[in-house]
């Protein structure tokens, strides 16, 4: 279990969401409220879009709460579209290669959840990757693999929303085939530099928490409310997709 | 606030105390029971005596719970006298230079506590160091400084016990001189390769917790009981010093 | 011995100087041409000014050549005034706290050189720091100390140029007093968000190399030429100060 | 290209080979003499056998030359059978997961060389892994994969020597099938707690250098001579295997 946030809207300093709120993501790295793991200290990462097509990324294995670089970066980098993630490792060692966000070309991806009993299906899922994405695999997490599987479908021409939906169902099928009974859980965000997609889904009835809030000039999405303003955050329902383009938002069932 | 343990007795694998107990130090790094800070993830260190006069030391800025090196080391290194520490930083950045144990020649030192309002007395305390120890200062913590002040007195001929006592009183005096009202707290262990000293002291009535337990063939000292055997651990009283040489133990008031 | 660069002028991506040139600073971390130490792999750092008064800083103990974060940051961060440094440790352990640039308020500082026989004068030099800067000391390098000594004079009202000059002479005097015969060498850059000062100085005849080049829309200063354009770089003479404000430049003897 | 050493014989302190010789492995991390890459600063690792069946392992992403932990460990750990490796990354990011030695059960493995054009054959080679070893893959290097492929054959009952030989030929065949013309190069050492195997092989005429020397009470194998005693080291010929059990040695052609 991990904690994350994503933002799309007017350009703001990353610190406004990552560091400054009373229950900021940096604070959640030390003490999350709604996560199975209270401590999310197994590395972290931020990704943001600026003037370039490909995003800036900073990932580190230290806990977010003790990293001075993170504070300095978030105080000085501004973005209209960014995400941040603090990790509680469930599988895959503590390594920058296993830290979120994962990136490929202009895409960024963060995930909270799991492929249940991943060791039993990892091989079959990796076999689904086309050659050129197989070579992009750097770490050993289920999260990175789900991202690459989604990217494979997007590159093959699928809409992002359909790609996510297909990967979730294919993965759940593969798990069932192999007799895996622990669930597939997927609260995640994906961005391409202009658009942001966030999904809350699970093969059982317990998808990881995900909240939405209108942020001055945009939208914030987070694993749990960031401030004292819990009432300003709306829980995204299980099976819902949120799609943000600039400040425009659309919310619907995904699959 | 930090958590630590120390051991003197028959040679055992470090993992028997550091990693394996149900409430081991590695476990306490993620979730301590009796500390002000639940999470002690700001680096850690181990120090042990083997065949050499100077101890082996391994210090790292990552949390103890996620460090594979620590597990492998503790499973393969055996010692008759060792200590381990997990840190919750109160001052001084997260850096190996600020991780315990501190070492000088054949001595090892770990500390849990604080010099209250350290910034206000740091300069005067550092001024007390003789030249050759001034140059040994690597980090910026109060703990390392207390260690060097003790070493200065030991090198000048004082018995370890007296050196500790003098430094505690001199430091408390310095704090009072500067009008510092936050307390001096000092639960610590010091070793020289043959002997182990552990002290629980504070200028107020709240010294950090410290426990003692006969371990098969020796003695274990720890910030909190390591296993389900809480009743086997005796709380060391405020103002007490425990002195262990091999398997022999002596406990008395320090000052 | 270390390698560094600084830039003032039109806003450019950091990668244009830090990563992309054939003999970029990242390349120099692995193989410098004019340094005593070929390898500058003991950590690195970048500092830049954006929209805030205080600069962004990223410092890391890994070699610059292997750090993916550095590449991603430099490709996405733009600045009108920035500096970067790769370290070959001569004293002070490899720690983020000992990596350049050092920062205080709106100031950034990088240094290549040494206080000869630093251990013998460290104590006296630290004693010159006013209380509030004494508490800002985080690491144990001579470079950080020279920076704080300069800051002390600037805070006391001295012009930056005079402050540097005074600190160089006072330090050289202190060294002479203590019978130190190894030289004081100081190639360094200092910035305050609007202005950049670079100095090449030594108490002997061998100040570390320093070059100047008009960069499209500004000025680049570096320990050695960054590209195949060696002829475009002018060596800054021993004892010279370069002062850049925006794109305007002034060069004169310092002291 | 990397540098490594291995030792089997009477129990000695690791520092006697890793740190102390004039041209020790730690020294080679900064400046190797016979390697394509002068600098081997992309992480390092040591592995040793003590009283346990499974070896102790310490791997770190920092350069070996600047790691105080390494010095302290090597000064205090003694072993009759150990290996050490400094890395110059050719593929696979700088991560502990990509540092040598790799370990599985009681086996340790270090490698200097490459699978030419690895990206083109990685997928097919990974497909050869049996399920239980597929799940043991942690990083993304060719070296780790060669190790797991050898382990697969050993677990299936092959002698270590035959397993290595088969993997080399199968891999070379796979490379040829895919039209890879860059060579397969393999200087490596493998140990199981009692025996040590070292091999120097290449599909072309340029296997990475490997030397052998009788060490007081045992045998040392290294990428290049460790001291001023170059004449005491014998070059292992291309295609040769060295097999050491305790102090007994056997050398023959491998395949």
């Amino acid at each position: 279990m991990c904690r994350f946030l994503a933002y799309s809207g007017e350009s703001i300093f990353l610190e406004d969401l990552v560091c400054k709120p009373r229950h900021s993501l940096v604070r959640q790295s030390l003490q999350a409220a709604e996560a199975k793991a209270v401590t999310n200290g197994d590395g972290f990462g931020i990704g943001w879009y600026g003037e370039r097509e490909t995003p800036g990324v900073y990932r580190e294995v230290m806990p977010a709460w003790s990293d001075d670089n993170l504070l300095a970066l978030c105080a000085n980098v501004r973005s209209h579209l960014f995400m941040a993630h603090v990790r509680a490792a469930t599988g895959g060692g503590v390594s920058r290669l296993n830290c979120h966000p994962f990136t490929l070309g202009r895409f960024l991806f963060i995930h909270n959840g799991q492929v249940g009993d991943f060791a039993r299906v990892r091989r079959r899922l990796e076999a689904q990757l086309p050659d050129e994405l197989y070579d992009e695999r750097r770490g050993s997490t289920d999260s990175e693999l789900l991202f690459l599987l989604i990217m494979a479908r997007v590159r093959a021409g699928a809409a992002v929303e359909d790609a996510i939906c297909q990967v979730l169902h294919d993965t759940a099928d593969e798990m069932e085939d192999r007799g895996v009974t622990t669930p597939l859980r997927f609260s995640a965000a994906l961005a391409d530099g202009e658009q942001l997609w966030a999904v809350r889904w699970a093969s059982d009835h317990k998808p990881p928490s995900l909240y939405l809030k209108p942020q001055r000039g945009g939208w914030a999405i987070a694993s749990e409310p960031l401030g004292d303003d819990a009432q300003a955050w709306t829980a995204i329902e299980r099976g819902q997709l949120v799609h943000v383009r600039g400040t425009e938002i659309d919310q619907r069932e995904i699959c």
Side-chain angles (χ1 to χ4, degrees), chain A:
Chain A
M1 277 300 163
C2 310
R3 301 282 88 181
F4 71 68
L5 67 80
Y7 170 83
S8 171
E10 287 178 13
S11 179
I12 61 174
F13 285 104
L14 270 58
E15 69 174 9
D16 291 345
L17 294 180
V18 178
C19 315
K20 281 192 165 173
R22 179 190 286 258
H23 192 59
S24 73
L25 200 71
V26 168
R27 178 70 197 158
Q28 289 177 41
S29 71
L30 192 58
Q31 197 163 7
E34 300 189 25
K36 286 201 302 190
V38 167
T39 310
N40 294 274
D42 300 328
F44 68 89
I46 54 173
W48 73 94
Y49 296 93
E51 300 173 63
R52 293 284 171 94
E53 187 171 276
T54 55
V57 176
Y58 171 57
R59 306 191 294 178
E60 179 53 89
V61 294
M62 287 177 53
W65 71 74
S66 66
D67 189 77
D68 290 336
N69 287 329
L70 179 64
L71 294 179
L73 271 172
C74 289
N76 281 280
V77 171
R78 228 188 215 290
S79 172
H80 68 286
L81 181 53
F82 62 87
M83 47 181 75
H85 186 276
V86 293
R87 185 169 179 238
T90 51
V94 174
S95 160
R96 282 190 190 175
L97 304 177
N98 288 339
C99 287
H100 308 223
F102 299 103
T103 182
L104 188 76
R106 62 199 165 88
F107 286 91
L108 282 176
F109 177 76
I110 49 180
H111 172 232
N112 174 17
Q114 58 167 26
V115 174
D117 221 343
F118 180 50
R120 289 177 64 191
V121 292
R122 176 179 167 191
R123 177 167 210 152
R124 290 193 185 194
L125 294 175
E126 289 182 342
Q128 294 178 12
L129 289 171
D131 281 357
E132 74 275 14
L133 288 179
Y134 193 91
D135 292 336
E136 294 293 335
R137 182 106 157 107
R138 297 280 175 269
S140 55
T141 60
D142 51 358
S143 301
E144 184 196 28
L145 181 51
L146 290 170
F147 172 51
L148 292 176
L149 288 168
I150 293 167
M151 286 295 97
R153 281 161 181 81
V154 169
R155 286 190 174 187
V160 164
E161 183 175 340
D162 297 334
I164 294 173
C165 189
Q166 287 164 23
V167 168
L168 290 176
H169 284 294
D170 287 1
T171 302
D173 288 351
E174 202 69 74
M175 291 165 71
E176 200 179 329
D177 266 12
R178 295 281 291 169
V180 172
T181 55
T182 47
L184 170 61
R185 288 178 179 155
F186 184 86
S187 283
L190 183 73
D192 70 354
E194 294 186 354
Q195 305 170 76
L196 171 67
W197 297 264
V199 173
R200 187 176 181 223
W201 190 91
S203 65
D204 66 356
H205 293 280
K206 294 179 180 166
S209 61
L210 201 60
Y211 292 86
L212 174 69
K213 188 195 146 200
Q215 188 75 14
R216 203 165 51 114
W219 297 90
I221 290 161
S223 300
E224 40 192 270
L226 300 174
D228 295 328
D229 54 348
Q231 74 297 340
W233 295 80
T234 313
I236 297 173
E237 296 299 314
R238 172 176 177 269
Q240 292 280 309
L241 167 92
V242 175
H243 177 211
V244 192
R245 180 189 285 265
T247 59
E248 285 170 45
I249 192 163
D250 177 40
Q251 191 168 349
R252 57 185 180 276
E253 225 158 283
I254 176 167
C255 47

